[in-house]
Amino acid sequence: MSSSTEHPRSPQDEIDGLIYFPRLCHKIRLHAAGKLDPGYHANLGAGMDLWTCQYLGIDYQELASRVRSGASDSEALAWARGNGTARPAHESAWWNAYMRTRGFRDDLAGRLAQRKAESGFQDRADVQTFMDYIEADEGRL
């Protein structure tokens, strides 16, 4: 990572009971400011970004436009909830659990093992999910 770039905030961060959304907004802001490491560029709007937008029932580009125009995380989430798919509280709990455990004994377990090996984390028993991987890769775990 270049000294002029930053890691996005933790994927574990949440706002109003929704995990990952603050990281999604932060990535958009960092990219717009030219401070997002190029290693993140290919996945903007994909992976966990896409899954979060799909859960909310919104288009990534529309969200990105709102965030780039100055919306705070709270304002962006209010917009998403007002223009996307209404979700009951219990679905947010399911969503958070899903996001926290991606890569653990699921369809992405092989991909997680591959990413761990590529990063030299293959012997790290504490890296069991993609969120763990992100935290380790960005130096927080």
Side-chain angles (χ1 to χ4, degrees):
M1 187 169 82
S2 165
S3 63
S4 63
T5 61
E6 298 176 36
H7 289 302
R9 54 192 294 181
S10 171
Q12 307 269 3
D13 290 349
E14 64 180 81
I15 183 171
D16 198 26
L18 185 67
I19 198 167
Y20 191 82
F21 192 80
R23 178 183 175 88
L24 171 56
C25 292
H26 192 217
K27 284 170 61 177
I28 293 166
R29 287 186 194 99
L30 289 174
H31 185 252
K35 294 182 179 181
L36 184 66
D37 188 272
Y40 293 92
H41 293 189
N43 284 325
L44 286 171
M48 290 181 172
D49 295 357
L50 177 63
W51 303 337
T52 302
C53 289
Q54 289 172 331
Y55 172 74
L56 290 167
I58 57 167
D59 178 74
Y60 171 82
Q61 293 301 331
E62 289 181 38
L63 173 66
S65 178
R66 294 220 171 250
V67 171
R68 285 191 301 265
S69 70
S72 67
D73 291 359
S74 296
E75 292 165 338
L77 183 57
W79 172 85
R81 286 181 168 160
N83 291 279
T85 304
R87 301 281 186 184
H90 70 274
E91 286 187 13
S92 290
W94 294 342
W95 170 253
N96 290 342
Y98 169 80
M99 288 292 280
R100 283 188 178 108
T101 59
R102 287 302 277 152
F104 183 76
R105 297 182 180 172
D106 65 11
D107 60 312
L108 292 180
R111 179 72 176 128
L112 177 60
Q114 178 185 355
R115 295 288 302 271
K116 285 176 64 173
E118 292 168 356
S119 299
F121 298 155
Q122 63 272 12
D123 296 327
R124 294 213 30 200
D126 59 330
V127 178
Q128 297 185 3
T129 68
F130 270 100
M131 287 213 175
D132 294 341
Y133 174 81
I134 292 167
E135 295 289 41
D137 190 50
E138 294 176 357
R140 287 185 293 267
L141 180 68

